[in-house]
Amino acid sequence: MNTEDIQARMASLAADLNRHNHLYYVLNKPEISDYEFDQLLKELEKLEEEYPQFADVNSPTSRVGGDITNKFEKVKHARPMLSLTNTYNEEEISEWVERVVKAAGKPVTYALELKYDGVAISIFYENGKFIRAVTRGDGETGEDVSANVRTIRSVPLTLHGDYPESFEIRGEIFLPRDVFDALNREREESGEELYANPRNTAAGTLKQQDSGEVAKRKLDCYLYFILSDKHSFRRHTEGIHQAASWGFKVPSEKEQMISHATDVKEIMNFIHHWDKKRFGLPFDIDGVVIKVDEMDMWDELGMTAKSPRWAIAYKFKAATAATRLNKITYQVGRTGAITPVANLEPVLLAGTRVKRASLHNADQIEKLDIREGDIVFVEKGGEIIPKVTGVDMNKRELFSQPHSYITHCPECKTPLIRNEGEALHYCPNETGCPPQIIGRMDHFISRKAMNIEGLGTETITGLYRKGIISDASDLYVLKYDDLIGVEFTITDEFGENERTRTLQDKSVRNMLSGIEASRNVPFERVLFALGIRFVGETVARKLARHFRSLDKIRAATREELMAADEVGEKIADSILVWFSDERNVRMAEKLRDAGLQLESVESGESVVSDKLAEKTFVVSGVFSSFTRDGIKQSIEQNGGKVVGSISKKTSYVVAGENMGPEKRKKAEELGIPVLSEQDYINLIQ
Ligand code: IVH
């Protein structure tokens, strides 16, 4: 192919991928399979690697991230990002409507929208291309998070249809609730602290430096406000319609996520509808936004100090109910964390029957003086598990006693500990406390760890309680006769419903073949499977690449551990603690005997020299004797480290042909030596 053909092929692939992306993520109507999509993407990726001079920043390949931002540039908003005045009841809405009608001197139409509980974003487009995405910041100045926002599949990178030449569009970035829950389940498995709610997590994600990590998070975005000098719509909702035709994800009219009203009654109907239905949405909302639809009124109505007069927010009250707290019980988590649970007289809350609620921790119980027998208020916010928010003191029984928090683990009777500055009590008996042991084994067999098919939580729990296994390494010595006909009782997590299960021929065979297959799982996943606190999937991968074997990790000092990517003091200490426990070491030895992969085997990464040890490289442009990945691999094989962007810490930039001018300028500014391909070859020879 000549260069023109190549350019044309790249443009056509990009156009196809953009269209399929839009069909899948915005319209929910895919036309091709994920596999076909990946094939197209791979072809484009390959061409971009070979011909980086033709690669576009808005290429569909930027969805997978990879760009690193060391410092988010400050950007002043062309027009300040305002907030909305909040209202909490019908009366306040009526007053606002009255003011609007008076100022307008005529009846007006209202656009009704959901108030997404996420992070505000402003995105700027020029000639149909994504240029820049900026956070709200203080309303006047925000931060450029373009590389991260480019990874959000529902944000178009190139527009179609009849869009204004240059405009800004604002909206809300959020983390869908199921993604948030899955993320927290994973964190729980690897013993990491749980995220508080989807909103904070979305905000934190948007400020991550590695856009590759952001891409994995599956953020989403709804757009709700267009700012442009030249457009052909006069109503806000018409603008939203048009934005949809340019490729944006906007709220669905069919599902009534956006609607119209002409009076307070209709506004209140919309509010009541969503107040009830909001928990059924796949994301969090915290209210409804009401906007004057006729945009010619906006200037006339003007602004208060911080918010426009043409729009107002109605904030939902958390759904609450009052009921009797029968008993306080305690659950021991997989990491040993103790959570107090309120066992309630069943009560209807936001459409579901609630029997249990979270009491958070000892401080919370003491602060609210919550006692068994009290009538308590239960609230359902964004979280799935309702919480107890207070006590009806007027209804307290005469002889009620303050609650005394447990001092010993309800499962294994070990005295609990509470670390300085932490809210939760822990059972420190990591290797002897049943829920912790079962939790660790459950993590070991999970999909992202050893992925043992034919084995689940129930069976693990049953086999442990029967004394057939006591840690994960025991799985590898199990034989058909140990398992066939074994009978165990299964209770749900609250110890309520019981049933019996007997292991039959088919499930025993499945189990054994699943265990057998797991002997080939690569080292990095075995390391993750061990369940060392704070060693999640990514850290395990980095550790495996750095040390290449479990023995080397075990032999490493704190400083040596911290030399690995992403390993700080907390993780290093946790690894040291893990290996200091004889029981863990013994289990690892048993896993070795069972033939598990405790070393990395990929030959491609084998060490050639340590000539580049402690040196950090940035690679840019095209090379003649290496592919881009090839030169990166060569650096790593010689002990060096490759990062994505230039900073003070960079030792060298290796420049091929067509190195980006921005990168060259930055290297010069920071006085970082720029090596040619030949200079690099000389360096390693
Ligand atoms: S319109 C000038 N519409 O709520 C008005 N905002 O409290 C611009 N928000 O900063 C905002 N959903 O982050 C608008 N449908 C919606 C919204 C919405 C959520 C957020 C937005 C804003 C905040 C104001």
Side-chain angles (χ1 to χ4, degrees):
M1 274 204 281
N2 63 31
T3 50
E4 267 167 41
D5 290 342
I6 288 158
Q7 256 182 299
R9 178 65 188 153
M10 287 170 79
S12 126
L13 281 169
D16 278 354
L17 284 160
N18 280 332
R19 195 173 81 85
H20 290 301
N21 183 77
H22 181 249
L23 283 166
Y24 188 97
Y25 290 101
V26 179
L27 302 181
N28 248 327
K29 283 187 200 143
E31 284 179 5
I32 58 173
S33 68
D34 290 1
Y35 176 77
E36 287 166 298
F37 186 91
D38 284 345
Q39 292 307 310
L40 295 175
L41 193 69
K42 277 199 188 122
E43 185 184 346
L44 182 59
E45 261 169 357
K46 195 158 160 270
L47 287 170
E48 284 179 353
E49 203 151 286
E50 274 174 58
Y51 306 96
Q53 66 272 36
F54 302 141
D56 175 6
V57 279
N58 283 329
S59 159
T61 57
S62 59
R63 300 289 194 192
V64 291
D67 281 353
I68 312 275
T69 314
N70 282 321
K71 190 171 163 286
F72 296 102
E73 296 295 330
K74 293 249 185 287
V75 178
K76 193 166 160 39
H77 294 295
R79 272 172 271 189
M81 283 180 85
L82 304 171
S83 57
L84 295 169
T85 308
N86 287 330
T87 59
Y88 298 91
N89 52 47
E90 178 165 354
E91 201 185 335
E92 289 174 321
I93 297 275
S94 289
E95 285 166 12
W96 176 74
V97 164
E98 243 170 66
R99 279 199 302 275
V100 167
V101 172
K102 196 166 159 207
K106 59 178 184 198
V108 295
T109 321
Y110 304 93
L112 308 173
E113 287 172 13
L114 304 180
K115 190 169 186 310
Y116 311 103
D117 197 8
V119 188
I121 192 79
S122 145
I123 315 177
F124 185 66
Y125 286 84
E126 217 164 52
N127 298 316
K129 299 276 175 216
F130 176 108
I131 300 291
R132 179 182 335 108
V134 183
T135 60
R136 180 171 190 274
D138 61 4
E140 296 287 336
T141 308
E143 289 178 320
D144 186 332
V145 288
S146 304
N148 290 344
V149 174
R150 273 203 190 89
T151 69
I152 303 176
R153 306 296 211 269
S154 52
V155 172
L157 299 176
T158 40
L159 306 180
H160 43 254
D162 192 14
Y163 46 79
E165 194 177 295
S166 136
F167 68 98
E168 187 187 334
I169 188 161
R170 294 179 183 171
E172 202 87 351
I173 290 175
F174 59 91
L175 195 66
R177 213 177 299 129
D178 59 345
V179 182
F180 173 78
D181 291 338
L183 197 63
N184 259 353
R185 267 198 305 277
E186 260 171 43
R187 289 180 75 83
E188 190 172 16
E189 275 171 14
S190 57
E192 290 166 280
E193 206 172 309
L194 299 192
Y195 290 125
N197 57 47
R199 182 185 0 96
N200 290 355
T201 316
T205 304
L206 214 51
K207 295 292 289 291
Q208 289 219 352
Q209 297 188 322
D210 182 351
S211 62
E213 290 300 312
V214 181
K216 289 188 205 149
R217 284 282 173 90
K218 304 198 181 109
L219 291 171
D220 203 344
C221 179
Y222 270 117
L223 282 316
Y224 49 62
F225 189 30
I226 306 163
L227 296 95
S228 101
D229 294 326
K230 246 186 167 164
H231 52 249
S232 61
F233 49 89
R234 296 190 14 239
R235 285 176 176 275
H236 166 69
T237 43
E238 205 185 314
I240 296 292
H241 253 130
Q242 288 197 11
S245 77
W246 309 332
F248 290 98
K249 176 162 169 162
V250 300
S252 141
E253 239 167 291
K254 217 170 85 205
E255 288 164 54
Q256 283 195 62
M257 287 162 68
I258 183 164
S259 188
H260 288 100
T262 51
D263 57 24
V264 177
K265 193 164 154 266
E266 286 173 5
I267 295 175
M268 291 315 293
N269 282 344
F270 185 81
I271 291 174
H272 292 143
H273 172 80
W274 283 111
D275 196 2
K276 261 208 250 96
K277 293 272 165 108
R278 63 185 148 130
F279 298 107
L281 284 166
F283 48 82
D284 286 348
I285 61 173
D286 60 344
V288 157
V289 180
I290 306 127
K291 300 174 182 172
V292 172
D293 203 22
E294 291 90 352
M295 290 166 67
D296 56 354
M297 295 293 310
W298 290 7
D299 280 341
E300 268 171 65
L301 284 160
M303 318 235 311
T304 65
K306 279 194 311 216
S307 41
R309 285 204 183 85
W310 49 264
I312 200 157
Y314 176 93
K315 296 266 274 192
F316 290 136
K317 277 191 272 306
T320 56
T323 189
R324 183 168 188 274
L325 168 58
N326 290 330
K327 195 166 173 49
I328 296 176
T329 55
Y330 297 86
Q331 267 176 24
V332 187
R334 296 167 172 207
T335 56
I338 308 288
T339 20
V341 180
N343 294 262
L344 307 164
E345 200 54 44
V347 63
L348 216 56
L349 183 62
T352 44
R353 210 169 89 103
V354 175
K355 286 197 292 185
R356 277 180 201 81
S358 169
L359 288 165
H360 298 289
N361 52 50
D363 286 349
Q364 182 77 358
I365 295 176
E366 196 183 317
K367 197 174 105 203
L368 301 176
D369 186 18
I370 298 169
R371 306 178 182 188
E372 289 180 348
D374 276 346
I375 299 298
V376 293
F377 300 112
V378 191
E379 203 168 89
K380 191 170 161 115
E383 317 76 22
I384 294 170
I385 304 164
K387 55 186 181 224
V388 172
T389 54
V391 175
D392 188 343
M393 292 298 175
N394 296 325
K395 299 206 174 126
R396 173 161 282 170
E397 286 165 13
L398 197 54
F399 299 106
S400 92
Q401 290 294 318
H403 182 71
S404 45
Y405 207 79
I406 48 166
T407 52
H408 289 69
C409 176
E411 296 271 349
C412 72
K413 312 292 176 246
T414 304
L416 300 179
I417 53 162
R418 185 175 171 183
N419 294 326
E420 185 78 20
E422 280 185 16
L424 293 182
H425 285 73
Y426 277 90
C427 166
N429 185 15
E430 262 178 53
T431 37
C433 177
Q436 299 188 60
I437 297 170
I438 295 169
R440 260 197 314 279
M441 286 197 271
D442 208 28
H443 166 71
F444 185 87
I445 62 167
S446 67
R447 202 171 48 79
K448 289 189 171 167
M450 302 304 285
N451 193 18
I452 303 187
E453 280 177 36
L455 205 54
T457 313
E458 275 182 14
T459 321
I460 286 284
T461 311
L463 294 177
Y464 173 77
R465 301 242 185 242
K466 281 258 156 179
I468 297 172
I469 53 173
S470 58
D471 69 34
S473 65
D474 291 338
L475 292 172
Y476 293 92
V477 291
L478 287 177
K479 303 224 164 30
Y480 184 88
D481 289 342
D482 300 331
L483 298 168
I484 191 72
V486 170
E487 195 181 276
F488 45 77
T489 326
I490 299 154
T491 38
D492 68 12
E493 61 177 311
F494 304 112
E496 278 178 4
N497 302 309
E498 278 198 1
R499 63 195 168 82
T500 320
R501 191 181 152 202
T502 312
L503 292 180
Q504 311 280 1
D505 179 70
K506 191 163 168 232
S507 49
V508 171
R509 285 181 195 283
N510 279 345
M511 216 185 286
L512 290 172
S513 72
I515 294 171
E516 186 55 37
S518 75
R519 290 185 215 255
N520 295 322
V521 164
F523 172 50
E524 57 182 56
R525 277 175 41 207
V526 179
L527 183 57
F528 171 57
L530 292 179
I532 303 172
R533 215 170 163 203
F534 308 125
V535 178
E537 235 186 317
T538 314
V539 173
R541 198 179 319 122
K542 304 263 162 156
L543 281 166
R545 296 232 170 114
H546 189 95
F547 290 101
R548 315 192 57 78
S549 80
L550 192 70
D551 287 339
K552 292 211 178 101
I553 297 175
R554 187 182 166 191
T557 62
R558 188 169 189 259
E559 282 64 39
E560 285 164 349
L561 287 168
M562 282 169 64
D565 248 5
E566 300 215 9
V567 177
E569 288 171 17
K570 196 171 80 169
I571 299 176
D573 286 342
S574 162
I575 297 170
L576 292 174
V577 167
W578 196 86
F579 280 108
S580 70
D581 190 324
E582 265 309 307
R583 281 175 285 199
N584 289 331
V585 176
R586 234 178 297 133
M587 179 184 75
E589 285 314 317
K590 276 171 74 184
L591 292 176
R592 186 194 308 278
D593 295 343
L596 264 61
Q597 309 294 320
L598 300 186
E599 281 176 27
S600 296
V601 283
E602 313 107 272
S603 55
E605 279 185 39
S606 59
V607 181
V608 175
S609 84
D610 60 358
K611 286 202 175 99
L612 308 181
E614 320 264 301
K615 300 274 188 284
T616 304
F617 289 77
V618 171
V619 174
S620 177
V622 207
F623 302 91
S624 51
S625 20
F626 297 97
T627 62
R628 257 264 268 264
D629 274 343
I631 196 161
K632 287 184 182 169
Q633 201 178 19
S634 155
I635 293 170
E636 281 165 1
Q637 284 174 339
N638 286 286
K641 183 171 155 187
V642 184
V643 296
S645 75
I646 303 174
S647 74
K648 280 194 301 234
K649 290 191 195 146
T650 312
S651 324
Y652 297 105
V653 175
V654 190
E657 276 197 52
N658 294 312
M659 168 181 178
E662 286 291 316
K663 279 205 170 133
R664 188 174 290 278
K665 207 171 118 211
K666 188 137 188 213
E668 276 165 14
E669 273 170 17
L670 295 172
I672 291 159
V674 179
L675 306 179
S676 70
E677 186 171 352
Q678 193 52 50
D679 293 338
Y680 171 74
I681 294 171
N682 295 342
L683 195 67
I684 55 170
Q685 265 166 5

